[in-house]
Amino acid sequence: MSTDLGTAGGRPATPGGQPPVEPSPGAGHPLSVGQEALWFLYQLAPESPAYNITLAVRVRTALDDAALAGAVDALVARHPVLGTAFAERDGAPRQYVPAAPPTPPPGGAATSRWLEIRDVPGRTDEALLGLARSIGEQPFRLGAGDVFRVVLLRRAADDAALVLVTHHIVSDATSQWLLLRDLLAGYRGLAAGGAPDWTPLTAGYLDHVEAERKLLDSPRRARLERYWRERCTGVSAGVLPLDRPRPERQTFDGATHHLRLPDELAGRVRSAASAAGVTPFAFLLGVFQATLYRYGGQDDFTLGCPVATRYGAGLRDVVGYLVNTVVLRSSFTPGATFADAVASAHRELLSGLAHVGYPFPLLDRMLGAARGGSRAPLFRIAFTMVAADRLDPPLPLVPEGAVVGPEIEHSGLRLAAFDVPQLEGQFDLNVELRQSEDSLSGAFRYNTDLFDGATIERLTGHYRRLLEAATADPTHRIDRISLVDSAQLELLLALGTGGVSPGR
C-alpha cells in the first residue's frame, strides 16, 4: 500500500490516505503552558516543519504489513495524544484528545490511517535519508487531529527505513523513543499472533496538564517567579557575531553541522568532570559558555537549556510535550579560568533544576511585561545533552561522515539509526550533545538567515580547542588560550605578508 504525502482536495492527506478527523464540538481540555506557546508559533507559520520531530531507523528484517499497521493503531490506542486535535474556543486554545479506541485484534488491521508503506527500490542510503527528511518536513494540520505519522520506506522485503514523525505539541525527544519502543513491542506481539506486551500506563498527558495548573494556582508560583525574576533581570541573551543582519521576521530556516569529539578527548572530558566533582554535561556547558565569552566579549549573558519534566507519578512512559527550558546565566570576570566556568555552570544547573517547574513561556511573558512589552528574547542560543546509551532501543550513534549507524538486534529485528536533520532554525543556535558509553558528538543546528555553514564549523573547531585546553589544565585562564593553532597562525601570517598565493 502506498499513498502520496501530498494534498487531497486542497488539504494535506494523512499517511493512510484518509482525511484527518476534525475536532468534535465540546469543551475539550486546556493546554499546558508549553503547548499554548507552540500553538501560537504554529499559527504564525503553519507550513513550517521547525517543530516536527523525526525518528528514523533502518530495519534489515522483513516486516509483516498487517502486523505493522495493527501495531501503529495499537500505539495510538495506548497514547491517545497522538490523535489530538487543537482548536480555539471562546478565544482560548483547547485540545480534543480522543477516547482510546479498543486495541486491534491479534494479527493486526489491514491498514492504518497513520501508516504509509512506500516501495522505493534501488535507492541509496543517502537517498533514503533524504526521503526520511522530506517526510519529517511535511507540515501537520493541528486543527484536524493531524499530529502523527509513520512511513515505511521499503527498498526490499528485508531492507527498509521506518520513519516516525510527530509535532512537538504532542511529543518531545524522550517521547519519540518511547513511541519507537512501544511500536516495536506492539509489532512483536501482533506478528506472533498475540497482543502487545506493554506495561499498563497509570497516567496520561492530561494528568501533567492538571498538575501544572495546580502548581500555578499554589503559593509556590510566587516563589518560583521571584527566583526567575532575580536570575533574569539585568542580563541579555548570549549571542554570536552574525554573518547577516537579523531579519524582521523569523523564517525558521536552518541547517545542521555535526561534531564528533575524538574518543580520547571524550574520555578526558569525563575524567576532568569527575575530578572537578561535576557531571560531564556541566563541564561541556561551562566550556561552551567560555567559548561564547571569547567570541562575543559578553561577560554576563544567558543560554537556554531544555530539560525533561517527567516528575509526576506515572509520567515516565507517557508520550507528550514534557519538557521545559531553564534559563542559565553565565558571568565571567577578568582572569576567569576554565575551572571557574565549569563550577559556575554546575551551580547554575543545580539551582535552575530546583526551580524547573515554572513554565518558561510564563517567564518570558512576565519579564517581557516588566521590560515595557519589549520582546527581546531571554535567550537566543540553547544547549542540551542526550544520554544516547540510555535510550530504548539502544541504537549506537551514527559515526561522523556516515548516513546510518551500526546494526543491533532488538525485538527480533535488525535495526540501525538514521540521523535525520530536524528542529533547525528555532534559535540562532541550538546545540544538542549526544553521549554514549564511549563517545561524544553534537548536532549544532543554526539559523541560516544569520550564519554561514563555515561560521558554525569554525565555532565547533574553537569549542573543541577550548575543550582540549580545559581538560589539559582547568586552571588555565580562558582569555589566554589562542583560538588558532600553529598551522592556522602561520597561514594567517603568510597571508598578511603575501607569502601565500591566492590559488593555494
Side-chain angles (χ1 to χ4, degrees):
M1 88 193 110
S2 177
T3 56
D4 186 37
L5 279 176
T7 59
R11 58 190 292 180
T14 53
Q18 304 173 33
V21 179
E22 300 290 347
S24 59
H29 302 278
L31 280 62
S32 70
V33 175
Q35 283 183 307
E36 289 177 352
L38 287 170
W39 172 251
F40 174 74
L41 290 169
Y42 169 76
Q43 290 178 307
L44 288 178
E47 300 303 313
S48 172
Y51 291 92
N52 290 3
I53 307 177
T54 305
L55 178 59
V57 294
R58 185 178 184 181
V59 184
R60 295 299 304 273
T61 307
L63 296 175
D64 180 287
D65 292 359
L68 180 60
V72 171
D73 281 349
L75 186 69
V76 179
R78 177 170 168 84
H79 303 288
V81 70
L82 298 175
T84 300
F86 297 83
E88 296 277 348
R89 291 290 186 267
D90 300 322
R94 308 290 287 181
Q95 55 184 322
Y96 296 80
V97 183
T103 302
T111 61
S112 167
R113 84 171 182 91
W114 289 278
L115 172 68
E116 175 192 1
I117 299 178
R118 187 189 304 178
D119 291 309
V120 290
R123 302 296 179 100
T124 64
D125 284 349
E126 291 78 7
L128 206 60
L129 178 62
L131 288 173
R133 180 171 186 169
S134 67
I135 291 166
E137 292 175 344
Q138 179 74 18
F140 285 113
R141 294 182 67 235
L142 305 192
D146 175 29
V147 295
F148 170 62
R149 70 175 66 104
V150 181
V151 179
L152 184 72
L153 299 169
R154 187 164 52 194
R155 288 194 292 197
D158 60 351
D159 187 0
L162 183 64
V163 187
L164 284 73
V165 191
T166 56
H167 194 281
H168 206 357
I169 202 168
V170 298
S171 186
D172 56 25
T174 299
S175 294
Q176 213 70 0
W177 285 93
L178 292 173
L179 289 175
L180 178 61
R181 181 200 69 183
D182 287 354
L183 178 61
L184 296 177
Y187 172 82
R188 182 179 61 226
L190 291 172
D197 182 19
W198 290 328
T199 301
L201 297 176
T202 59
Y205 184 70
L206 293 178
D207 294 301
H208 164 72
V209 177
E210 178 61 22
E212 181 183 80
R213 297 277 167 172
K214 288 181 178 178
L215 180 147
L216 295 176
D217 289 337
S218 73
R220 190 179 174 215
R221 174 176 184 156
R223 296 195 295 270
L224 291 173
E225 286 182 344
R226 185 166 55 251
Y227 170 83
W228 287 114
R229 185 183 291 110
E230 291 174 354
R231 293 305 299 151
C232 298
T233 297
V235 62
S236 58
V239 294
L240 291 167
L242 305 182
D243 292 323
R244 285 172 291 281
R246 189 179 302 278
E248 291 186 7
R249 180 166 180 166
Q250 186 174 1
T251 65
F252 300 101
D253 293 333
T256 302
H257 176 75
H258 292 279
L259 169 71
R260 168 71 183 263
L261 295 184
D263 291 345
E264 184 270 338
L265 178 55
R268 284 167 50 194
V269 167
R270 294 187 180 90
S271 297
S274 178
V278 304
T279 63
F281 177 62
F283 192 94
L284 292 160
L285 171 64
V287 177
F288 182 74
Q289 291 168 325
T291 306
L292 295 183
Y293 167 59
R294 287 294 305 273
Y295 256 68
Q298 294 172 282
D299 57 12
D300 191 14
F301 58 88
T302 58
L303 298 180
C305 180
V307 297
T309 55
R310 297 173 175 271
Y311 305 125
L315 290 179
R316 178 177 177 180
D317 292 326
V318 168
V319 168
Y321 183 75
L322 290 153
V323 65
N324 193 24
T325 300
V326 173
V327 180
L328 302 176
R329 189 164 181 169
S330 310
S331 299
F332 292 86
T333 57
T337 67
F338 289 109
D340 296 331
V342 167
S344 176
H346 178 66
R347 290 192 301 270
E348 191 74 2
L349 275 170
L350 291 180
S351 184
L353 291 174
H355 299 84
V356 72
Y358 190 76
F360 171 77
L362 292 184
L363 170 65
D364 192 36
R365 231 174 285 165
M366 174 181 68
L367 294 181
R371 295 190 297 266
S374 168
R375 298 309 298 162
L378 293 176
F379 68 90
R380 294 186 181 276
I381 298 173
F383 190 90
T384 190
M385 187 163 74
V386 175
D389 49 352
R390 299 179 189 173
L391 300 176
D392 186 11
L395 294 172
L397 296 172
V398 178
E400 187 173 5
V403 174
V404 64
E407 287 185 6
I408 64 168
E409 181 98 7
H410 182 83
S411 294
L413 303 173
R414 292 167 58 200
L415 306 173
F418 273 112
D419 196 359
V420 182
Q422 57 188 301
L423 301 174
E424 297 170 334
Q426 293 180 4
F427 309 110
D428 287 11
L429 179 65
N430 184 2
V431 180
E432 180 186 280
L433 298 181
R434 303 165 187 177
Q435 175 182 249
S436 66
E437 187 175 346
D438 55 1
S439 66
L440 271 170
S441 65
F444 287 68
R445 301 170 179 133
Y446 59 97
N447 190 313
T448 51
D449 288 334
L450 308 177
F451 302 110
D452 295 326
T455 298
I456 304 303
E457 182 177 3
R458 187 162 54 248
L459 170 71
T460 61
H462 292 153
Y463 178 45
R464 172 178 165 175
R465 184 166 182 79
L466 292 186
L467 279 172
E468 290 170 343
T471 55
D473 184 358
T475 65
H476 269 313
R477 281 181 51 164
I478 297 167
D479 58 6
R480 295 286 176 85
I481 303 300
S482 173
L483 294 181
V484 296
D485 59 27
S486 57
Q488 292 172 323
L489 182 59
E490 288 180 8
L491 177 61
L492 290 172
L493 292 173
L495 287 171
T497 59
V500 176
S501 66
R504 292 186 63 184

